[in-house]
Amino acid sequence: MIAHVLGARPNFVKAAPVIAALSGTRPGAVDAARAQWVIHTGQHYDERMSEVFFRDLGLPEPDVNLEVGSGSHAAQTAAIMVALEKEFIERSPELVMVYGDVNSTIAAALVAAKLRIPVAHVEAGLRSFDMTMPEEVNRRLVDQLSDLCFVTSPEAVGHLAAEGVAVERIHFVGNPMIDTLLAHLDAFDTDAVRRAYDLPERYAVATLHRPANVDDPEVAAGLVKRLHEIAELVDVVMPVHPRGRKVLTDAGLDAHPRVRLLEPLGYVEFVAAVRGAAAVVTDSGGVQEETTILGVPCLTLRPNTERPITITHGTNRLVTADDVVPAVAETLAAGRGDREHPPLWDGHAGPRIARVVEGWLGG
Ligand code: UD1
Ligand code: UDP
């Protein structure tokens, strides 16, 4: 039996095509469906941060929800570990699959490794080289603990090799988050989103949730000022992540008439909004990738990215608070341009992962 450990919003989007391929419900999937066990850690728990993704993506109901909720890094990671250890001992999975770089990912990898259960990491080898990001700590450790490292872009192979990960553990399979995007293309209805939120033809989407942008009220207030300046150029719609909700609203984010604050959106509605946007301003990892495939200009409010392929083969550009407003103005003037897509971001990563997993378990 294969255990999938999911906990946070981006995990759901990455795991959906892998679970589908392993259960034989997707073209190119493995023939013999293998027993799968979906564990939700409860790291994200609001309906808009969790359940909506299970509905939108057709994910199976979790077999168990550990309901750990929020907490400091140590408290949250430890709570997941204690609960997972009990589950793994009871169920003895033959492989534990983990996704991305969140606390649920490192907690599961650490527990499995100590119990001598093999670990497969989907989205291995990404590096921002910025150890102030909690995700960078998680990424490095998870890759060291993983028997199978599934890589979404070629430079990640080099990062893993440089850290001593044996080459036979590394599998460049493409990007399952893009499988999910391409599988739902027909469902993304931008006009419906325009009508639902009273958006004009031209609008920008903004999302912010990184601790570096939303934890310090002064930094957040500086970004609110920039978002208001952007709203002088173009209407801004912003589904607000719960992490930044209080600090951004306290700083008066909704005071500008051309800024629309929304609850977090479900996957289909969110990507539909992004698809129709003239520009996106974000600090999200997944959104950098989605905009690359949708051909939507993406301005990433971060000093670095673990996804440089979205710059070299996509529409992404790193910006600071000081240059985001002129960057939006330039983007609106330039419009969209066609770019070549990153290799293997073709909608078939899930089946590739499933075949490697089957071969590895079979062998
Ligand atoms: C987590 C991940 C981050 C990822 C993001 C995706 C870690 C260390 N961080 O950040 O890498 O980019 O998810 O969205 O794992 N909260 C709610 N409702 C929820 C979930 C969270 O209100 O359903 C609030 C709580 O106040 C909580 C805060 O958001 O303390 C932060 O949640 P947490 O899961 O710790 O980290 P994220 O910022 O969501
Ligand atoms: N997303 C969504 N609704 C929103 C914001 C994001 O459905 O309101 C989706 C989007 O597809 C994104 C994914 O959730 O790629 C993960 O987003 P998030 O920015 O939370 O996490 P990150 O990728 O930065 O870890």
Side-chain angles (χ1 to χ4, degrees), residues 8-10 42-50 69-73 76 101-105 134-135 138-139 209-211 215 241-245 283-285:
R9 178 163 78 176
Q43 177 174 347
H44 284 174
Y45 44 85
D46 290 347
E47 193 271 338
R48 302 263 90 205
M49 298 295 287
S50 176
S70 306
S72 69
H73 283 278
Q76 185 179 60
D101 53 19
V102 302
N103 284 347
S104 299
T105 314
E135 295 83 0
N138 294 344
R139 290 181 199 118
H209 72 279
R210 293 280 156 217
D215 280 8
H241 188 287
R243 181 178 199 108
R245 190 183 290 139
D283 56 12
S284 158

Side-chain angles (χ1 to χ4, degrees), residues 9-10 53 177 209-210 239 264-267 270-271 284-287 290:
R9 178 163 78 176
F53 290 87
M177 190 164 229
H209 72 279
R210 293 280 156 217
L265 293 176
Y267 177 78
F270 177 75
V271 184
S284 158
V287 175
E290 290 156 349

